[in-house]
Amino acid sequence: MKTESSRQEYYIDKCRKLLEDKERELGRKLTYYDQTFGCQMNFKDSEKLNGILEAIGYVRSKSEEADFVYYNTCTVRENANIRVYGRLGTLKTYKKKNPDMLIAMCGCMMQEPEEQEKVKNTFTFVDIVFGTHNIFKLAQLLYEALITRKRVFDVWEGTDEIVEDLPSHRKISFKAAVNIMYGCNNFCTYCIVPYVRGRERSRKPEDIVGEVEQLAREGVKEIMLLGQNVNSYGKTLENRTTFAQLLSMVGKVDGIERIRFMTSHPKDLSDDLIKVMASSSKICRHIHLPLQSGSSRLLQKMNRHYTREQYMELVRKLRVAMPDIAITTDIIVGFPGETEEDFQETLEVVQETAYDSAFTFLYSKRSGTPAASMEDQVPDDVAHERFDRLLKVVGETARKQNKKHEGETALVLAEEVNERDSSLITGRLSNNNVVHFKADPCVIGRIVPVVLEEACGFYYLGRLASDG
Ligand code: SAH
Ligand code: SF4
Ligand code: F3S
């Protein structure tokens, strides 16, 4: 909505003026810092929040001792919440030293009424609280806090609105994430995301393509299309467009060399999508296809809408169409009622699929979700023991897949100087595997041929095939 983005620009201007006064008074620039937890959705939201903060005049600080600090929170598993509150305490000491410091909390945890209450009553040094539906309002909320000097709480239960055209700030200049849809309608019985991210809403294809074209003009080479379930893209649009069609449209944008997407729900991965992927040289040879469990009985209890057999059929089709595709997944261990037999089925699917990697999670009870009140919750020690066994098998399949490409020459997008060894550059293959290789930092941002000399389990050591 154009009017909403203009309204927010007005508040960005107002905040900028207040900040300029403060800069003069202090004789320095004001700084901001973000602490982002959770998934790529949250990291993308933080890019937007950072874009707004920079438009206002804040400059990024390397430390949490900044003038404006926000925590963008995740609540998908309980340990995510514990980490947030654990860190929050340190901010209080910084605020004592700098009483003008502003602290904000946002993201998925703040969508839960009990967490809001906790912040309201226990963490009284937090100034601004907002949720996942109104991140575009940051400048307005900040203005209110600066003017009134009172705490500002504004969390929406849901929204139909998609606010376009607000600033955004990327950390890597040549890689960008693009939201194609928001929310989730799947209600997997263990998952809190549909409650904290609201109903599924797709952006219009022309808005998405327009953004990708703009990113290409800014020098972006790789884009990641984001949605909780990209395969159901377009269902809420007036002019229905499928995800396969959207991918073809995005594939036509000149300058974009690599296209990735996250996440694909197995229940509606279409043959058309496989066809579009296989026929495109830009779409990366990687699919993240969350399995959750290998037992059809549990998949039904999870409300996933596919069976073990249907999942394996998809894997087969993907591998026939793209023999070099890397398949990665998410798996939950210890879902209520999981028996040793169910777990064995998960291990079998992991071995049959031969994942390139897998995120494995211990089931975490989320209040308000159907699974939280299911009988037969699995005892912790049993779940932990299964988790360790699963990790071993996943490690084995990943190493096996990794070994397959040893000795090959492959194209790598050079991304950054290696953190531990500055003579190495770290980059990624089309299949998302990481490669470290000796090269001059001037290759960063370019796609270069690299010989994959040594497969090291989850990454490769390589060397430039030519001078790149
Ligand atoms: N929309 C994505 C997943 C988003 S959440 C999809 O459907 O694939 C990321 C992962 O967290 C999920 O795939 C699941 O494996 C895990 N997860 C979600 N809720 C969980 C819970 N209550 N306990 C443990 N893991 C959970
Ligand atoms: Fe959660 Fe399922 Fe939606 Fe993924 S598809 S976000 S696991 S409810
Ligand atoms: Fe966490 Fe919210 Fe993502 S709960 S996993 S940050 S959508």
Side-chain angles (χ1 to χ4, degrees), residues 37-42 73-76 108 192-193 196-197 228:
F37 303 84
C39 68
Q40 308 227 21
M41 294 288 165
N42 258 19
T73 61
C74 169
T75 186
V76 79
C108 296
I192 201 162
V193 171
V196 295
R197 286 272 167 180
Q228 290 298 352

Side-chain angles (χ1 to χ4, degrees), residues 188-203:
C188 302
T189 53
Y190 50 81
C191 185
I192 201 162
V193 171
Y195 305 88
V196 295
R197 286 272 167 180
R199 295 292 57 73
E200 187 177 291
R201 315 172 293 287
S202 294
R203 282 177 75 196

Side-chain angles (χ1 to χ4, degrees), residues 232-250:
S232 69
Y233 171 78
K235 287 187 180 162
T236 56
L237 291 172
E238 249 171 63
N239 298 321
R240 188 105 181 240
T241 308
T242 65
F243 181 55
Q245 288 165 335
L246 178 73
L247 266 183
S248 307
M249 290 158 83
V250 169

